[in-house]
Amino acid sequence: MAAKAKQTCYEGSSVQSFQFYLEHSGEHEAILQCVHNILPGEFKRAGAGKSSLDVLGVGSGGGQVDVQMLTLLQSAFPAVPITADIVEGSSQLTDNFKALVAKTPNLQKIPFAWHIMNSEDYESQVKAKGDIKKFDFIHMIQMIYYVDDLASTIKFYHSLLKNNGILMIIIEAEKGGWDTLWKTYKKELCVDAITEYRSSGQVIACLKSQGLKYEEHVIPNSFDITECFNPSSQTGQLLLNFMTAKDHFYESFTPEIRAGMLDLLRNKCSAEKDGRILFNSNLSCILIHA
């Protein structure tokens, strides 16, 4: 889960923490496998007969997943011009994304509009301008934790879809490891950038209440947290920092809370296999239709 400390976007040390997590969790690989399985068919349906295609990424981070999705869209419609608008609060990650675009030849043809701001500020800006750009594909990957009002955010972005458009939300799965950890220790963890932890259950309840058509695809994933139970392991400490959105796990909680969290991580959030402890980090990919 995209955890951050005391701010609503990744800058400074939290960028390093995020990159460290990605290297150890296999999360992007799991998301990309899902994207490659599901999106080609969805893109063909959404883009059929259109003379241009517009994409909006909200909380795109360093762009690793966006680059793959835009490439898939180009493959589906090689002769159709594509535009990409990117909303990302972190200037550091936006710079990483721009660098990735610069070395990806097929993306040179796509005009990018960069909005370095959070989702709420983008929404305010769009509403203030009144000249509202609509999109064929909008994606929000691992960012719905940070919005103030889930229902109004979904309603707003759904309203930006063109005919046959798709809104894709990827979020931690209900009853997965993240859901169990963050809901059990809500009082200790939901204090900085994330004030209300959400998983796929909250998103789906919201979609149902708004009467929106959706389908859900499970993205299976797990990663090795064995090192988290060795207090002298730096890898373990860095993973615990990220998983609890703290700069220093061991200094941030009382000994009782730490022990409780570690017990929960081992016994309720993970499975043991060949002597290794594998954290359940299943995700949910929710496709919402216009």
Side-chain angles (χ1 to χ4, degrees), residues 50 52-54 134-136 160-166 290:
K50 291 180 178 172
S52 66
L53 294 166
D54 301 294
K134 300 275 184 121
F135 299 92
D136 301 283
L160 298 186
L161 289 176
K162 287 198 241 171
N163 182 36
N164 289 338
I166 311 157

Side-chain angles (χ1 to χ4, degrees), residues 56-77:
L56 172 63
V58 188
S60 287
Q64 297 95 326
V65 179
D66 294 60
V67 163
Q68 300 262 355
M69 293 190 292
L70 288 167
T71 301
L72 283 175
L73 186 58
Q74 281 181 321
S75 309
F77 298 98

Side-chain angles (χ1 to χ4, degrees), residues 146-163:
Y146 303 105
V147 302
D148 293 333
D149 185 327
L150 178 64
S152 72
T153 297
I154 288 175
K155 190 173 181 181
F156 168 70
Y157 285 104
H158 187 263
S159 77
L160 298 186
L161 289 176
K162 287 198 241 171
N163 182 36

